[in-house]
Amino acid sequence: MKTLKILYGLGLTGLMVFNQSCTNLDSTVYDQADAGTFPATESDLNSVIGSSYGTLRSFVDDPFVLQETTTDEVVVPTRGPDWYDDGRWQQLAKHQFTPLIPTNINGAWEAFYRSIANVNINVATLKASSLASKQTTIAELRAIRALNYYYLVDLFGNVPILTEDSPAGNPVQSPRVDVYNFIVKELKEAIPQMRNESSITMYGRMSRGAGHALLAHVYLNAEVFTGTPRWTEASAECDSVINSKLYSLSSNFLDNFAVNNDKNGSMRENIFVIPYDKTFATGNTFQLRTLHYALQQKYGLANSPWNGYCTYADFYSTFSDQDARKKMWLAGPQTGSDGKVIQYDDRVDGLRHDVNFTPEISALERALAYQGVRFQKFEIQTGNLVTSQDNDFPIFRYSSVLMAKAEALVRLGKAAEALSYINQVRKRAGVSDFTTADLTLDNLLKEYGREFAFEGRRRTDLIRFKSFTQKAWQFKPVTDSKYNLMPIPSVQISSNPNLKQNPGYN
């Protein structure tokens, strides 16, 4: 079992408490608590903040869909009767989304604000507490809130800012630059008070290193958010992580995504993760989203896979055979326990085919079930008798800090200085070092793709590199610049008259 345990109580349902052991599942149930005396201990503090971490588990659902299936990295073809879903996957791939459809847009909005509301309640609870160490935990919560706002300002631009002090009623919409400034202020105030450690106790929690990594990425995208680049500030925040000496690259790239990545030593690279547990902290279902139906028996799964997520041929081609990261893909003929290639009957053409994953996808609207290379970056948990898996999901890794540092230096005209950072990442992948001449923005973007595929950040990177709407790829032409922002969901505007739609959307 993982290093977290689940605490259930009235008003604090499903709270994740981070501990070094899960053998003791006893808990205190609070049906009433005096705000001045609760929380009174470190355990009480953990029970309060646990729910705020639990809300982050929704990231792999609608937010992930918006960040990945709109890009050149992840595509979900319609396969006969499967994966049409009111045309949402085709709309996402082609950049044809609207304020009404797909519903994943509203789902992402609600996921982030649900998490923010939870943080605000917990911050208010802690402010009323007399516990001496509460400020450290409040800082941790503010960083969680800042993470939510980072995704909101990235996806939607102008959004309401809600804190524990916000008045009741419909909130007003803040300009994108104000939301950015709020995030920076929150993190600058919180980071010095956060725990400066990388340990079992802090696994899956916002440490000072995670705060610096988040702020580095906020600065990295500052030009998109505000029109003013902050490359020097991004570089400095990366230095804070690097110079702490608390983190390093895992020797094996795929260890960071293994079923046991909470205990295989990858915490030295995984600065901040969202913990998942197949029983107690569910939601990681990537194996079902990507695997072909006929592979259920091969992996000993209780549930049939859904045969959906795959990648584009052009994206797959950016990985050389020497690149250790290419093992994140499942390509070619798939054999069963008898050594024979597994076969199936396709519901599109009615013919029997080998399960032979090919890079080419013939059509977005009517793809054959074997088409498209599949993801196995998150290790497939064999013999799994439930829907979810145990792999934790990294949000910030040490490699993302090294890459951010390299990019900031390149943007500042210091490509020679950037080499030592990006080449650490490439050396781990088993590919040759970049030279100064190699460090073009195009090559940087490709390296981001190879290193961070399927980690919920591709859309953000493409926009920063002016490649999201401006460039075409299979099934998607050059699209209107309005799609660099998601529309404000119609249901939100209907419920809050203070919200205004993003430009270009009706």
Side-chain angles (χ1 to χ4, degrees):
M1 189 181 290
K2 290 188 174 293
T3 56
L4 57 85
K5 65 181 181 181
I6 313 303
L7 199 162
Y8 296 91
L10 296 177
L12 297 171
T13 57
L15 305 186
M16 296 167 58
V17 179
F18 298 80
N19 236 310
Q20 294 189 47
S21 171
C22 62
T23 56
N24 179 11
L25 297 180
D26 295 334
S27 62
T28 302
V29 176
Y30 296 91
D31 58 353
Q32 295 181 7
D34 183 345
T37 59
F38 179 84
T41 67
E42 187 70 21
S43 178
D44 291 346
L45 274 178
N46 288 340
S47 71
V48 169
I49 65 172
S51 58
S52 293
Y53 283 106
T55 60
L56 296 178
R57 293 204 305 273
S58 63
F59 180 80
V60 300
D61 295 319
D62 292 321
F64 179 90
V65 166
L66 300 187
Q67 289 288 79
E68 292 287 2
T69 66
T70 58
T71 75
D72 62 347
E73 185 175 281
V74 180
V75 61
V76 187
T78 299
R79 305 179 190 274
D82 295 333
W83 294 98
Y84 179 70
D85 299 327
D86 299 323
R88 72 178 61 182
W89 306 105
Q90 296 174 27
Q91 289 174 304
L92 288 162
K94 295 178 180 180
H95 290 191
Q96 295 177 349
F97 25 91
T98 74
L100 283 170
I101 304 172
T103 57
N104 307 84
I105 298 174
N106 185 60
W109 175 285
E110 292 190 344
F112 293 127
Y113 274 109
R114 186 164 52 246
S115 182
I116 289 166
N118 184 284
V119 168
N120 290 342
I121 290 170
N122 287 337
V123 169
T125 299
L126 288 174
K127 281 185 173 181
S129 168
S130 59
L131 193 64
S133 59
K134 67 182 182 182
Q135 291 304 326
T136 300
T137 305
I138 290 174
E140 197 174 326
L141 286 166
R142 291 173 73 184
I144 298 173
R145 185 168 62 194
L147 177 66
N148 283 289
Y149 275 112
Y150 167 64
Y151 289 123
L152 281 168
V153 77
D154 175 40
L155 285 166
F156 298 103
N158 304 334
V159 297
I161 299 173
L162 295 170
T163 71
E164 70 280 3
D165 298 320
S166 295
N170 290 324
V172 297
Q173 196 169 12
S174 295
R176 198 178 200 188
V177 65
D178 290 353
V179 183
Y180 163 85
N181 287 332
F182 169 77
I183 297 168
V184 171
K185 180 177 181 292
E186 284 285 287
L187 289 172
K188 281 188 170 183
E189 291 178 359
I191 287 171
Q193 300 182 68
M194 294 164 70
R195 293 172 177 83
N196 190 30
E197 59 182 279
S198 174
S199 63
I200 292 291
T201 303
M202 287 303 294
Y203 181 78
R205 292 176 61 171
M206 275 284 184
S207 64
R208 191 177 301 176
H212 283 300
L214 171 54
L215 187 52
H217 285 76
V218 173
Y219 282 137
L220 200 66
N221 293 284
E223 187 173 21
V224 174
F225 300 159
T226 71
T228 302
R230 299 289 182 187
W231 310 120
T232 300
E233 292 87 342
S235 177
E237 291 301 318
C238 292
D239 286 340
S240 295
V241 178
I242 295 167
N243 295 337
S244 73
K245 307 297 184 184
L246 292 173
Y247 309 99
S248 60
L249 294 178
S250 299
S251 58
N252 185 335
F253 171 73
L254 289 177
D255 280 354
N256 296 303
F257 317 96
V259 170
N260 66 337
N261 62 345
D262 62 319
K263 59 177 72 75
N264 67 356
S266 64
M267 73 171 57
R268 64 177 177 265
E269 177 167 351
N270 288 338
I271 298 172
F272 180 66
V273 304
I274 301 174
Y276 288 89
D277 183 280
K278 65 182 180 180
T279 304
F280 296 109
T282 59
N284 185 339
T285 57
F286 288 134
Q287 83 286 5
L288 298 181
R289 301 183 208 185
T290 191
L291 288 178
H292 190 284
Y293 326 105
L295 297 185
Q296 178 181 4
Q297 185 175 0
K298 175 176 181 176
Y299 290 99
L301 304 178
N303 298 283
S304 173
W306 308 332
N307 198 41
Y309 292 21
C310 54
T311 195
Y312 291 93
D314 284 348
F315 190 82
Y316 179 65
S317 71
T318 65
F319 292 77
S320 69
D321 289 340
Q322 293 73 39
D323 195 327
R325 296 169 296 193
K326 195 172 186 178
K327 294 178 182 178
M328 75 173 71
W329 306 109
L330 194 62
Q334 304 301 303
T335 57
S337 57
D338 59 1
K340 296 180 180 179
V341 177
I342 300 169
Q343 293 188 324
Y344 76 102
D345 295 317
D346 201 291
R347 287 182 281 181
V348 170
D349 64 6
L351 301 177
R352 191 159 185 79
H353 293 276
D354 291 342
V355 180
N356 180 12
F357 295 135
T358 62
E360 295 74 23
I361 302 168
S362 59
L364 181 61
E365 299 82 2
R366 194 173 168 80
L368 297 175
Y370 66 81
Q371 293 180 332
V373 171
R374 310 307 164 93
F375 294 90
Q376 57 175 356
K377 188 173 194 177
F378 289 89
E379 179 190 4
I380 299 166
Q381 193 162 5
T382 58
N384 189 7
L385 300 181
V386 295
T387 300
S388 295
Q389 293 204 153
D390 284 328
N391 324 58
D392 299 331
F393 188 93
I395 297 295
F396 299 116
R397 296 192 281 120
Y398 187 62
S399 66
S400 65
V401 173
L402 293 174
M403 287 289 294
K405 175 70 176 179
E407 181 186 345
L409 289 171
V410 169
R411 303 269 192 181
L412 289 167
K414 301 177 180 179
E417 293 181 35
L419 286 174
S420 64
Y421 299 101
I422 196 168
N423 283 337
Q424 290 181 56
V425 177
R426 288 181 61 81
K427 182 178 181 180
R428 194 261 300 272
V431 292
S432 60
D433 285 354
F434 271 165
T435 65
T436 304
D438 293 322
L439 269 181
T440 64
L441 291 180
D442 185 58
N443 281 339
L444 266 175
L445 181 59
K446 289 178 180 176
E447 194 67 24
Y448 270 118
R450 288 185 288 263
E451 182 69 17
F452 301 110
F454 219 60
E455 293 185 50
R457 58 174 288 166
R458 184 62 174 176
R459 174 191 158 276
T460 304
D461 290 337
L462 286 172
I463 291 173
R464 190 172 69 256
F465 281 81
K466 297 179 173 57
S467 298
F468 185 62
T469 58
Q470 298 93 325
K471 292 189 177 181
W473 51 81
Q474 188 183 20
F475 310 134
K476 188 201 83 80
V478 172
T479 52
D480 194 298
S481 61
K482 72 178 184 181
Y483 293 113
N484 285 321
L485 284 176
M486 292 290 161
I488 307 297
S490 291
V491 65
Q492 301 301 328
I493 292 177
S494 296
S495 63
N496 180 2
N498 291 327
L499 298 179
K500 306 299 181 185
Q501 186 55 266
N502 282 327
Y505 292 103
N506 296 324

